[in-house]
Amino acid sequence: MAWFRSLIRVSAVQPRNAVSSPFSVTSTLLSLRSLSGEASNQPQDPQPVPIQYSGLAPTRPGEKPRVVILGSGWAGCRLMKGLDTELYDVVCVSPRNHMVFTPLLASTCVGTLEFRSVAEPIARIQPAISREPGSYFFLANCTGIEADKHLVHCETVTDGPDTLDPWKFKIAYDKLVIALGAQPLTFGIHGVNEHAIFLREVHHAQEIRRKLLLNLMLSEVPGISEEEKSRLLHCVVVGGGPTGVEFSGELSDFIKNDVHQRYAHVKDHIHVTLIEANEILSSFDDRLRQYATKQLTKSGVRLVRGIVKDVKAQKLILNDGTEVPYGLLVWSTGVGPSSLVNSLEFPKSPGGRIGIDEWLRVPSMEDVFAIGDCSGFVESTGKPALPALAQVAERQGKYLAHLLNKIGKANGGHASTWNAAELGEPFVYRHLGSMATIGRYKALVDLRQSKEAKGLSMAGFVSWFIWRSAYLTRVISWRNRFYVAINWLTTLVFGRDISRI
């Protein structure tokens, strides 16, 4: 047991950040002692009460200032990537340890891409989180913010009721960046949360894929009625924005290229319906919308204009009383503020987002910034609300990283030490355009600055090639770019993977 005595002696010498560690060294040693056969055969000394640190304490003079980032979406990850870790310790709090490349998420639902191709680990985006003594990633949810005390309240994420109880802790910050994203809008419609599947996370795509393949296999079981077979194989998508249209296009390709070959017994029963209250792809050029409508219809997607009134276990009801039976229901009707954002007593922008000024600061909240889908300009700035797009979040993250690095170099990184006069140019967003794939090797590219402005817009195979090339270059790591390229090639040569794992 020499190794164990050495471990105790080494643990007695606490490093610089030991007081700030959220984990108990003593409780870890007690666990090791209980696993030691030699220790179990000897008389047990009275065991000290484990010290359970409540969180990360405020930074001390001489230490690097701490930036706490809530969220691991486009905005938070772009910020982490750009922060100078020579100036700051970085702490990220998020219920997932990866970033999702959402533009390609629909492709994973039908096996065009594998799930790991669109998930980028946080540790690869900002390696300092794994190697620097003062930087951490915590798999947890933020439950509250005390801006006057520079404290964030957190609770660890658990995996089901049979796992460990959630651990509550606090983190002191010098700079806080809220990048919590948004949650899907259900408009208070009964049954949506219980019966529909959203498409915002990898686990959503996994659920859609398993449900789709299960329904295909169940529909071949002897004794299933024609009516039940048609219901099982009816895929309904609610929401005609880019996500809903791209998923419908991917699904129609999957049906034509894979289902017709591998599920020949039920190929005539499977169909897709896209329900939208207004026009599909409302932010795109009129000519592109008409092209998309024509191509989707030609692909076998049934377009229905209507408003969902109620959602039941096997059917949904429209406002005109029409009942639409379904086997798979995907809900993609936009996003809104999360429950945590709604609960925060912060200034709010129109629409309920966290209010920010031209430098992405939360007014009247010292050292607090907000970026991404959870934020919006307050009315006093005179700026319009920014769309909930990945490119908006990414560019806000890039801007704020540059701003915080500038503040850190001016010795303003610690809490309450920076001068607002040093901020420099405010954030300005310029729209780079929109793209969407509609299946059958066709896509839409709209490079106008706004819906009313003039600019280049195109559709067809060339647009599809531009869409794929653009997103392949936007994938964060070379590892995932390689995965995506290989997946595309494999699908082209061998077809989609239809294994239900």
Side-chain angles (χ1 to χ4, degrees):
M1 292 303 292
W3 65 272
F4 183 70
R5 289 189 292 271
S6 300
L7 179 59
I8 294 177
R9 287 196 297 270
V10 170
S11 302
V13 183
Q14 295 186 1
R16 174 178 67 88
N17 286 326
V19 216
S20 302
S21 172
F23 308 108
S24 169
V25 174
T26 311
S27 58
T28 304
L29 293 177
L30 292 176
S31 300
L32 286 174
R33 184 183 293 274
S34 66
L35 294 175
S36 168
E38 181 179 340
S40 63
N41 294 328
Q42 294 177 355
Q44 297 293 321
D45 298 328
Q47 296 181 352
V49 178
I51 302 172
Q52 298 180 342
Y53 299 112
S54 60
L56 297 184
T59 54
R60 294 174 293 186
E63 294 182 348
K64 287 190 290 186
R66 180 185 300 136
V67 176
V68 175
I69 302 169
L70 305 180
S72 57
W74 282 86
C77 288
R78 186 59 186 86
L79 170 65
M80 274 189 285
K81 184 179 180 181
L83 277 177
D84 186 349
T85 54
E86 295 296 322
L87 298 172
Y88 294 103
D89 283 334
V90 180
V91 175
C92 177
V93 178
S94 175
R96 68 183 188 199
N97 70 340
H98 58 274
M99 171 193 164
V100 180
F101 193 81
T102 47
L104 297 179
L105 189 59
S107 298
T108 65
C109 298
V110 294
T112 306
L113 295 177
E114 287 305 315
F115 301 112
R116 66 178 179 178
S117 302
V118 299
E120 190 69 46
I122 299 298
R124 290 183 178 270
I125 296 173
Q126 180 47 269
I129 281 179
S130 300
R131 65 173 185 238
E132 295 293 330
S135 296
Y136 302 97
F137 169 79
F138 297 134
L139 191 70
N141 285 307
C142 173
T143 57
I145 299 172
E146 291 185 81
D148 55 334
K149 298 180 180 178
H150 282 61
L151 278 178
V152 174
H153 295 255
C154 304
E155 183 176 287
T156 56
V157 172
T158 57
D159 190 12
D162 298 328
T163 56
L164 296 174
D165 293 334
W167 179 280
K168 296 183 179 181
F169 59 97
K170 301 176 184 178
I171 303 174
Y173 63 84
D174 293 294
K175 299 289 184 284
L176 174 64
V177 181
I178 306 172
L180 292 169
Q183 67 180 13
L185 282 176
T186 63
F187 304 101
I189 298 172
H190 175 265
V192 175
N193 287 315
E194 292 80 7
H195 307 300
I197 306 175
F198 304 108
L199 186 52
R200 292 184 55 80
E201 303 286 350
V202 172
H203 66 85
H204 292 151
Q206 291 172 329
E207 187 178 358
I208 290 171
R209 184 163 165 180
R210 287 177 59 83
K211 182 75 171 177
L212 176 61
L213 294 174
L214 176 64
N215 288 352
L216 278 166
M217 289 181 281
L218 287 178
S219 63
E220 290 191 314
V221 174
I224 297 290
S225 66
E226 294 296 309
E227 182 181 0
E228 179 64 6
K229 191 177 295 185
S230 296
R231 184 195 68 79
L232 282 171
L233 297 179
H234 187 198
C235 306
V236 176
V237 182
V238 179
T243 301
V245 168
E246 289 187 338
F247 176 68
S248 299
E250 287 282 354
L251 202 51
S252 65
D253 279 356
F254 172 66
I255 293 170
K256 178 184 177 183
N257 299 330
D258 299 272
V259 172
H260 282 194
Q261 295 180 14
R262 306 181 194 186
Y263 292 93
H265 302 98
V266 296
K267 65 180 182 180
D268 296 329
H269 292 83
I270 186 168
H271 51 292
V272 183
T273 298
L274 176 60
I275 300 175
E276 169 57 40
N278 300 301
E279 294 283 343
I280 66 169
L281 300 173
S282 58
S283 61
F284 282 73
D285 179 75
D286 291 341
R287 182 178 62 86
L288 296 183
R289 290 208 305 270
Q290 294 172 4
Y291 179 86
T293 301
K294 179 181 177 181
Q295 290 300 320
L296 287 171
T297 304
K298 188 184 295 185
S299 300
V301 179
R302 178 176 169 238
L303 301 179
V304 174
R305 179 174 293 187
I307 299 174
V308 178
K309 179 182 178 182
D310 191 15
V311 177
K312 299 185 182 297
Q314 297 183 355
K315 65 181 179 181
L316 57 84
I317 302 172
L318 301 182
N319 58 336
D320 61 359
T322 304
E323 295 186 355
V324 183
Y326 66 85
L328 172 67
L329 176 60
V330 177
W331 194 272
S332 176
T333 57
V335 295
S338 65
S339 56
L340 175 62
V341 169
N342 287 330
S343 69
L344 295 175
E345 296 181 358
F346 285 5
K348 298 293 176 64
S349 69
R353 299 181 183 183
I354 297 174
I356 54 173
D357 64 11
E358 297 93 328
W359 292 273
L360 311 183
R361 301 174 300 178
V362 178
S364 71
M365 298 292 170
E366 190 177 38
D367 295 320
V368 180
F369 302 81
I371 53 178
D373 295 350
C374 70
S375 65
F377 291 116
V378 292
E379 288 183 304
S380 59
T381 63
K383 292 192 173 187
L386 295 176
L389 298 174
Q391 61 174 295
V392 176
E394 183 182 28
R395 290 163 72 184
Q396 284 182 329
K398 182 179 180 180
Y399 169 86
L400 187 55
H402 174 76
L403 178 62
L404 290 178
N405 289 341
K406 180 179 178 181
I407 292 172
K409 290 174 182 176
N411 297 321
H414 285 281
S416 309
T417 59
W418 57 292
N419 186 354
E422 303 169 353
L423 290 176
E425 294 294 324
F427 173 76
V428 177
Y429 172 69
R430 292 182 179 85
H431 189 60
L432 298 179
S434 303
M435 296 185 293
T437 179
I438 52 177
R440 297 168 64 94
Y441 302 106
K442 293 179 176 60
L444 313 176
V445 175
D446 190 349
L447 300 181
R448 298 174 303 157
Q449 287 286 324
S450 66
K451 192 174 180 181
E452 296 76 22
K454 294 182 179 181
L456 177 65
S457 59
M458 56 196 300
F461 176 79
V462 174
S463 299
W464 174 83
F465 184 79
I466 293 173
W467 175 86
R468 280 210 165 179
S469 302
Y471 281 136
L472 185 61
T473 60
R474 298 305 296 164
V475 173
I476 292 182
S477 69
W478 281 103
R479 184 195 72 155
N480 277 23
R481 289 175 194 169
F482 179 77
Y483 282 158
V484 170
I486 291 298
N487 287 167
W488 279 341
L489 179 61
T490 304
T491 299
L492 179 65
V493 176
F494 302 106
R496 292 170 178 82
D497 180 12
I498 60 169
S499 304
R500 185 175 184 269
I501 301 174

